[in-house]
Amino acid sequence: MPKDQRRAQLLDAANAVFTTRGYHAAAMDDIAEAAGVSKPVLYQHFGSKLDLYLALLDRSCERLVDIVAEALASTEDNAERVTAAVGAFYDFVSSASGEFRFVFESDLTGDNTVQKRLWRVNNDIADAIAEVIASDTALPVAESKLLAISLVGMAQVGARFWVSKDSAQIPVDQAKQLVSQLSWRGLRSLPLIAREQTRA
């Protein structure tokens, strides 16, 4: 099997083990068995369990950034854009892969390397949202970023709560609509001065 395909296979196997057992309870033996390879083969690709976990975390973070970016680029209508961006978080937690657990429910949040990666993914998404806010309003970049990171927090925490058993009775489309309406009702009050100046 080519190296890239083998690596992807190992990551998929590790994803299944980590999401069901957590980092501390998972063993490299378990992951090797799930992948159908020997432990030495696993160590050829990943030097340690932490390296393997970080690779999965990076993959999950990249996936979340990508789906939010796709949502922001999917329309020029700001109300629809908010719905799409908020909905991206619900699509992420709805994935059968369970990869959201690495980003939203990591049991290694005390690890400095993990903390930096988790902050970076939130910051990257907030930067993308802030760019849209700043380009459409008269707000300075710092204020746009504050609004953006607040929106990320609301969407993320809401999606985490929704995926828990406490709110499982709420259909995903309804959850997306409720939270996006809350977000949009605040954002639509911002002046679109920058857009008006551009047209002039």
Side-chain angles (χ1 to χ4, degrees):
M1 182 180 292
K3 185 177 180 179
D4 289 347
Q5 290 183 20
R6 176 67 77 188
R7 180 181 172 86
Q9 176 203 17
L10 296 175
L11 286 172
D12 289 342
N15 183 86
V17 174
F18 281 132
T19 55
T20 56
R21 302 186 188 182
Y23 177 80
H24 298 292
M28 292 294 266
D29 285 322
D30 300 324
I31 296 168
E33 182 179 351
V37 300
S38 65
K39 195 157 71 167
V41 169
L42 183 57
Y43 277 110
Q44 285 174 6
H45 293 267
F46 302 98
S48 67
K49 184 169 76 167
L50 179 58
D51 288 342
L52 179 51
Y53 186 89
L54 292 175
L56 278 168
L57 176 59
D58 287 341
R59 187 173 78 167
S60 299
C61 287
E62 289 169 7
R63 172 67 180 147
L64 179 58
V65 170
D66 286 347
I67 63 173
V68 174
E70 289 169 8
L72 291 172
S74 66
T75 177
E76 293 296 320
D77 181 271
N78 283 331
E80 293 176 2
R81 185 180 280 154
V82 169
T83 300
V86 168
F89 285 85
Y90 287 82
D91 292 337
F92 186 64
V93 300
S94 299
S95 170
S97 70
E99 63 185 342
F100 79 93
R101 299 189 185 282
F102 295 99
V103 185
F104 296 162
E105 298 178 359
S106 173
D107 51 358
L108 279 183
T109 52
D111 183 275
N112 187 53
T113 306
V114 172
Q115 286 180 358
K116 287 180 178 178
R117 281 167 161 82
L118 294 177
W119 170 248
R120 188 171 63 228
V121 68
N122 288 324
N123 194 61
D124 288 349
I125 293 171
D127 280 343
I129 295 173
E131 184 177 344
V132 175
I133 293 173
S135 69
D136 278 355
T137 71
L139 292 179
V141 172
E143 292 180 22
S144 298
K145 181 65 175 286
L146 176 61
L147 286 173
I149 200 72
S150 299
L151 286 170
V152 170
M154 180 166 53
Q156 181 186 125
V157 173
R160 287 173 60 191
F161 175 76
W162 173 81
V163 81
S164 71
K165 61 182 180 181
D166 295 325
S167 65
Q169 72 277 12
I170 303 174
V172 64
D173 288 340
Q174 183 181 352
K176 290 179 183 180
Q177 194 62 33
L178 283 170
V179 180
S180 61
Q181 283 178 349
L182 176 63
S183 304
W184 176 239
R185 285 175 181 173
L187 287 172
R188 71 181 179 185
S189 66
L190 299 174
L192 297 178
I193 293 177
R195 179 182 294 174
E196 292 168 0
Q197 289 175 343
T198 300
R199 288 176 177 172

Short mmCIF file of all heavy atoms in Angstrom, two decimals, residues 127-172:
data_model
loop_
_atom_site.label_atom_id
_atom_site.label_comp_id
_atom_site.label_asym_id
_atom_site.label_seq_id
_atom_site.Cartn_x
_atom_site.Cartn_y
_atom_site.Cartn_z
N ASP A 127 -10.96 34.71 12.00
CA ASP A 127 -10.35 35.63 11.02
C ASP A 127 -11.15 35.66 9.73
O ASP A 127 -11.37 36.73 9.14
CB ASP A 127 -8.91 35.21 10.72
CG ASP A 127 -7.93 35.65 11.80
OD1 ASP A 127 -8.27 36.54 12.60
OD2 ASP A 127 -6.81 35.09 11.84
N ALA A 128 -11.59 34.49 9.28
CA ALA A 128 -12.37 34.43 8.04
C ALA A 128 -13.71 35.15 8.19
O ALA A 128 -14.15 35.87 7.29
CB ALA A 128 -12.60 32.98 7.64
N ILE A 129 -14.35 34.95 9.33
CA ILE A 129 -15.64 35.61 9.58
C ILE A 129 -15.43 37.12 9.77
O ILE A 129 -16.21 37.94 9.26
CB ILE A 129 -16.34 35.00 10.81
CG1 ILE A 129 -16.70 33.53 10.52
CG2 ILE A 129 -17.58 35.79 11.19
CD1 ILE A 129 -17.23 32.78 11.72
N ALA A 130 -14.38 37.49 10.49
CA ALA A 130 -14.10 38.91 10.73
C ALA A 130 -13.84 39.65 9.42
O ALA A 130 -14.23 40.82 9.27
CB ALA A 130 -12.89 39.05 11.65
N GLU A 131 -13.21 38.99 8.49
CA GLU A 131 -12.95 39.62 7.19
C GLU A 131 -14.25 39.98 6.48
O GLU A 131 -14.37 41.06 5.88
CB GLU A 131 -12.12 38.67 6.33
CG GLU A 131 -11.70 39.26 4.99
CD GLU A 131 -10.82 38.32 4.18
OE1 GLU A 131 -10.28 37.36 4.77
OE2 GLU A 131 -10.70 38.55 2.97
N VAL A 132 -15.24 39.09 6.58
CA VAL A 132 -16.54 39.37 5.97
C VAL A 132 -17.23 40.52 6.69
O VAL A 132 -17.78 41.43 6.07
CB VAL A 132 -17.43 38.11 6.00
CG1 VAL A 132 -18.83 38.43 5.48
CG2 VAL A 132 -16.80 37.00 5.17
N ILE A 133 -17.21 40.49 8.02
CA ILE A 133 -17.86 41.55 8.80
C ILE A 133 -17.22 42.90 8.50
O ILE A 133 -17.91 43.90 8.23
CB ILE A 133 -17.78 41.24 10.31
CG1 ILE A 133 -18.62 40.00 10.65
CG2 ILE A 133 -18.26 42.44 11.13
CD1 ILE A 133 -18.47 39.52 12.09
N ALA A 134 -15.89 42.95 8.52
CA ALA A 134 -15.20 44.21 8.29
C ALA A 134 -15.44 44.75 6.89
O ALA A 134 -15.55 45.96 6.69
CB ALA A 134 -13.70 44.03 8.54
N SER A 135 -15.52 43.86 5.92
CA SER A 135 -15.71 44.31 4.53
C SER A 135 -17.11 44.84 4.28
O SER A 135 -17.33 45.61 3.35
CB SER A 135 -15.40 43.18 3.55
OG SER A 135 -16.38 42.16 3.63
N ASP A 136 -18.08 44.42 5.11
CA ASP A 136 -19.47 44.83 4.90
C ASP A 136 -19.94 45.92 5.84
O ASP A 136 -21.06 46.42 5.70
CB ASP A 136 -20.40 43.63 5.06
CG ASP A 136 -20.47 42.78 3.80
OD1 ASP A 136 -19.88 43.18 2.79
OD2 ASP A 136 -21.11 41.72 3.83
N THR A 137 -19.12 46.29 6.82
CA THR A 137 -19.54 47.26 7.82
C THR A 137 -18.49 48.34 7.99
O THR A 137 -17.41 48.29 7.41
CB THR A 137 -19.78 46.59 9.19
OG1 THR A 137 -18.51 46.20 9.74
CG2 THR A 137 -20.68 45.37 9.07
N ALA A 138 -18.83 49.29 8.86
CA ALA A 138 -17.88 50.35 9.17
C ALA A 138 -17.02 50.00 10.37
O ALA A 138 -16.25 50.83 10.85
CB ALA A 138 -18.64 51.65 9.46
N LEU A 139 -17.12 48.80 10.86
CA LEU A 139 -16.38 48.41 12.06
C LEU A 139 -14.90 48.22 11.77
O LEU A 139 -14.52 47.66 10.74
CB LEU A 139 -16.94 47.12 12.64
CG LEU A 139 -18.34 47.19 13.25
CD1 LEU A 139 -18.75 45.81 13.75
CD2 LEU A 139 -18.38 48.19 14.39
N PRO A 140 -14.04 48.64 12.70
CA PRO A 140 -12.61 48.36 12.54
C PRO A 140 -12.31 46.88 12.70
O PRO A 140 -13.15 46.11 13.19
CB PRO A 140 -11.96 49.18 13.67
CG PRO A 140 -13.04 49.64 14.56
CD PRO A 140 -14.34 49.46 13.87
N VAL A 141 -11.12 46.48 12.30
CA VAL A 141 -10.76 45.07 12.29
C VAL A 141 -10.87 44.45 13.68
O VAL A 141 -11.37 43.33 13.84
CB VAL A 141 -9.33 44.89 11.74
CG1 VAL A 141 -8.86 43.45 11.91
CG2 VAL A 141 -9.28 45.30 10.27
N ALA A 142 -10.39 45.16 14.72
CA ALA A 142 -10.41 44.61 16.07
C ALA A 142 -11.83 44.31 16.54
O ALA A 142 -12.10 43.27 17.15
CB ALA A 142 -9.72 45.56 17.05
N GLU A 143 -12.76 45.20 16.24
CA GLU A 143 -14.15 45.00 16.64
C GLU A 143 -14.79 43.87 15.82
O GLU A 143 -15.58 43.07 16.35
CB GLU A 143 -14.94 46.29 16.50
CG GLU A 143 -14.50 47.36 17.49
CD GLU A 143 -15.29 48.64 17.36
OE1 GLU A 143 -16.43 48.61 16.83
OE2 GLU A 143 -14.78 49.70 17.78
N SER A 144 -14.46 43.81 14.57
CA SER A 144 -14.96 42.72 13.72
C SER A 144 -14.48 41.38 14.24
O SER A 144 -15.22 40.39 14.26
CB SER A 144 -14.50 42.92 12.27
OG SER A 144 -15.02 44.12 11.73
N LYS A 145 -13.21 41.32 14.67
CA LYS A 145 -12.65 40.08 15.20
C LYS A 145 -13.35 39.68 16.50
O LYS A 145 -13.62 38.49 16.72
CB LYS A 145 -11.15 40.25 15.42
CG LYS A 145 -10.43 39.01 15.95
CD LYS A 145 -10.46 37.85 14.95
CE LYS A 145 -9.65 36.66 15.45
NZ LYS A 145 -8.19 36.89 15.38
N LEU A 146 -13.65 40.65 17.35
CA LEU A 146 -14.35 40.34 18.60
C LEU A 146 -15.72 39.73 18.31
O LEU A 146 -16.11 38.73 18.92
CB LEU A 146 -14.49 41.60 19.45
CG LEU A 146 -15.29 41.43 20.75
CD1 LEU A 146 -14.62 40.41 21.67
CD2 LEU A 146 -15.44 42.77 21.46
N LEU A 147 -16.45 40.33 17.39
CA LEU A 147 -17.75 39.77 17.01
C LEU A 147 -17.58 38.37 16.42
O LEU A 147 -18.35 37.46 16.73
CB LEU A 147 -18.43 40.68 15.98
CG LEU A 147 -19.00 42.00 16.51
CD1 LEU A 147 -19.49 42.85 15.34
CD2 LEU A 147 -20.13 41.74 17.50
N ALA A 148 -16.58 38.21 15.57
CA ALA A 148 -16.37 36.92 14.90
C ALA A 148 -16.04 35.81 15.89
O ALA A 148 -16.60 34.72 15.82
CB ALA A 148 -15.26 37.05 13.86
N ILE A 149 -15.13 36.08 16.83
CA ILE A 149 -14.76 35.04 17.78
C ILE A 149 -15.94 34.72 18.70
O ILE A 149 -16.11 33.58 19.15
CB ILE A 149 -13.50 35.44 18.59
CG1 ILE A 149 -12.83 34.20 19.20
CG2 ILE A 149 -13.81 36.47 19.65
CD1 ILE A 149 -12.13 33.31 18.23
N SER A 150 -16.78 35.71 18.96
CA SER A 150 -17.99 35.47 19.77
C SER A 150 -18.97 34.59 19.02
O SER A 150 -19.60 33.70 19.61
CB SER A 150 -18.64 36.80 20.14
OG SER A 150 -17.76 37.61 20.90
N LEU A 151 -19.10 34.82 17.73
CA LEU A 151 -19.97 33.98 16.90
C LEU A 151 -19.46 32.54 16.85
O LEU A 151 -20.25 31.60 16.91
CB LEU A 151 -20.07 34.55 15.49
CG LEU A 151 -20.93 35.81 15.33
CD1 LEU A 151 -20.73 36.39 13.93
CD2 LEU A 151 -22.39 35.51 15.58
N VAL A 152 -18.15 32.39 16.73
CA VAL A 152 -17.56 31.05 16.73
C VAL A 152 -17.87 30.34 18.04
O VAL A 152 -18.26 29.16 18.05
CB VAL A 152 -16.03 31.12 16.50
CG1 VAL A 152 -15.39 29.77 16.74
CG2 VAL A 152 -15.73 31.60 15.09
N GLY A 153 -17.72 31.06 19.14
CA GLY A 153 -18.00 30.46 20.44
C GLY A 153 -19.45 30.03 20.57
O GLY A 153 -19.74 28.93 21.06
N MET A 154 -20.37 30.89 20.11
CA MET A 154 -21.79 30.55 20.19
C MET A 154 -22.12 29.34 19.33
O MET A 154 -22.83 28.43 19.77
CB MET A 154 -22.64 31.75 19.76
CG MET A 154 -24.13 31.48 19.81
SD MET A 154 -25.13 32.98 19.69
CE MET A 154 -24.49 33.73 18.22
N ALA A 155 -21.61 29.32 18.11
CA ALA A 155 -21.90 28.20 17.21
C ALA A 155 -21.29 26.91 17.74
O ALA A 155 -21.93 25.85 17.70
CB ALA A 155 -21.36 28.51 15.81
N GLN A 156 -20.07 26.99 18.26
CA GLN A 156 -19.39 25.79 18.73
C GLN A 156 -20.07 25.22 19.98
O GLN A 156 -20.36 24.02 20.04
CB GLN A 156 -17.93 26.10 19.03
CG GLN A 156 -17.14 24.90 19.50
CD GLN A 156 -15.73 25.26 19.92
OE1 GLN A 156 -15.31 24.96 21.02
NE2 GLN A 156 -14.99 25.90 19.03
N VAL A 157 -20.32 26.07 20.96
CA VAL A 157 -20.93 25.58 22.20
C VAL A 157 -22.36 25.09 21.93
O VAL A 157 -22.79 24.06 22.47
CB VAL A 157 -20.91 26.67 23.28
CG1 VAL A 157 -21.69 26.23 24.52
CG2 VAL A 157 -19.48 27.01 23.67
N GLY A 158 -23.07 25.81 21.08
CA GLY A 158 -24.43 25.36 20.73
C GLY A 158 -24.42 24.01 20.05
O GLY A 158 -25.25 23.14 20.37
N ALA A 159 -23.49 23.82 19.12
CA ALA A 159 -23.41 22.54 18.41
C ALA A 159 -23.01 21.41 19.35
O ALA A 159 -23.53 20.29 19.26
CB ALA A 159 -22.41 22.65 17.26
N ARG A 160 -22.11 21.70 20.27
CA ARG A 160 -21.70 20.69 21.25
C ARG A 160 -22.88 20.30 22.14
O ARG A 160 -23.04 19.13 22.48
CB ARG A 160 -20.56 21.23 22.11
CG ARG A 160 -19.24 21.31 21.39
CD ARG A 160 -18.20 22.00 22.24
NE ARG A 160 -17.97 21.29 23.50
CZ ARG A 160 -17.26 21.81 24.51
NH1 ARG A 160 -16.73 23.00 24.40
NH2 ARG A 160 -17.09 21.10 25.62
N PHE A 161 -23.67 21.28 22.54
CA PHE A 161 -24.84 20.97 23.37
C PHE A 161 -25.86 20.18 22.56
O PHE A 161 -26.43 19.20 23.05
CB PHE A 161 -25.48 22.25 23.89
CG PHE A 161 -26.75 22.00 24.65
CD1 PHE A 161 -26.71 21.50 25.94
CD2 PHE A 161 -27.99 22.26 24.08
CE1 PHE A 161 -27.89 21.25 26.65
CE2 PHE A 161 -29.17 22.01 24.77
CZ PHE A 161 -29.10 21.51 26.06
N TRP A 162 -26.06 20.59 21.31
CA TRP A 162 -27.07 19.92 20.48
C TRP A 162 -26.74 18.45 20.27
O TRP A 162 -27.63 17.59 20.30
CB TRP A 162 -27.18 20.61 19.12
CG TRP A 162 -28.07 19.87 18.18
CD1 TRP A 162 -29.44 19.90 18.14
CD2 TRP A 162 -27.67 18.91 17.19
NE1 TRP A 162 -29.91 19.03 17.19
CE2 TRP A 162 -28.84 18.41 16.59
CE3 TRP A 162 -26.43 18.44 16.76
CZ2 TRP A 162 -28.81 17.47 15.57
CZ3 TRP A 162 -26.40 17.50 15.75
CH2 TRP A 162 -27.58 17.02 15.17
N VAL A 163 -25.46 18.14 20.08
CA VAL A 163 -25.08 16.76 19.80
C VAL A 163 -25.16 15.88 21.06
O VAL A 163 -25.15 14.66 20.97
CB VAL A 163 -23.67 16.69 19.18
CG1 VAL A 163 -22.58 16.79 20.24
CG2 VAL A 163 -23.49 15.43 18.34
N SER A 164 -25.26 16.51 22.22
CA SER A 164 -25.41 15.74 23.45
C SER A 164 -26.84 15.23 23.56
O SER A 164 -27.76 15.71 22.89
CB SER A 164 -25.08 16.60 24.68
OG SER A 164 -26.09 17.57 24.90
N LYS A 165 -27.06 14.27 24.44
CA LYS A 165 -28.39 13.68 24.60
C LYS A 165 -29.40 14.67 25.16
O LYS A 165 -30.61 14.47 25.04
CB LYS A 165 -28.31 12.45 25.49
CG LYS A 165 -27.82 12.73 26.91
CD LYS A 165 -27.72 11.45 27.71
CE LYS A 165 -27.22 11.74 29.14
NZ LYS A 165 -27.09 10.50 29.93
N ASP A 166 -28.91 15.77 25.76
CA ASP A 166 -29.82 16.72 26.39
C ASP A 166 -30.73 17.44 25.39
O ASP A 166 -31.80 17.91 25.76
CB ASP A 166 -29.01 17.77 27.17
CG ASP A 166 -28.27 17.16 28.33
OD1 ASP A 166 -28.80 16.22 28.95
OD2 ASP A 166 -27.15 17.61 28.63
N SER A 167 -30.29 17.55 24.13
CA SER A 167 -31.13 18.25 23.15
C SER A 167 -31.33 17.43 21.89
O SER A 167 -31.60 17.96 20.83
CB SER A 167 -30.50 19.61 22.79
OG SER A 167 -29.28 19.41 22.13
N ALA A 168 -31.19 16.14 22.00
CA ALA A 168 -31.27 15.26 20.83
C ALA A 168 -32.64 15.30 20.16
O ALA A 168 -32.79 14.90 19.01
CB ALA A 168 -30.92 13.83 21.22
N GLN A 169 -33.65 15.80 20.88
CA GLN A 169 -34.99 15.83 20.31
C GLN A 169 -35.16 16.98 19.30
O GLN A 169 -36.16 17.05 18.61
CB GLN A 169 -36.04 15.94 21.42
CG GLN A 169 -36.12 17.29 22.11
CD GLN A 169 -35.09 17.46 23.23
OE1 GLN A 169 -34.18 16.66 23.36
NE2 GLN A 169 -35.25 18.49 24.03
N ILE A 170 -34.20 17.89 19.23
CA ILE A 170 -34.29 19.02 18.30
C ILE A 170 -33.69 18.60 16.96
O ILE A 170 -32.49 18.29 16.90
CB ILE A 170 -33.55 20.25 18.85
CG1 ILE A 170 -34.10 20.65 20.22
CG2 ILE A 170 -33.67 21.41 17.86
CD1 ILE A 170 -33.32 21.77 20.88
N PRO A 171 -34.45 18.60 15.88
CA PRO A 171 -33.89 18.24 14.56
C PRO A 171 -32.76 19.20 14.18
O PRO A 171 -32.78 20.38 14.55
CB PRO A 171 -35.09 18.38 13.62
CG PRO A 171 -36.29 18.28 14.50
CD PRO A 171 -35.89 18.88 15.81
N VAL A 172 -31.79 18.69 13.44
CA VAL A 172 -30.62 19.49 13.13
C VAL A 172 -30.97 20.76 12.36
O VAL A 172 -30.41 21.84 12.62
CB VAL A 172 -29.56 18.65 12.36
CG1 VAL A 172 -30.09 18.19 11.01
CG2 VAL A 172 -28.26 19.43 12.22
#
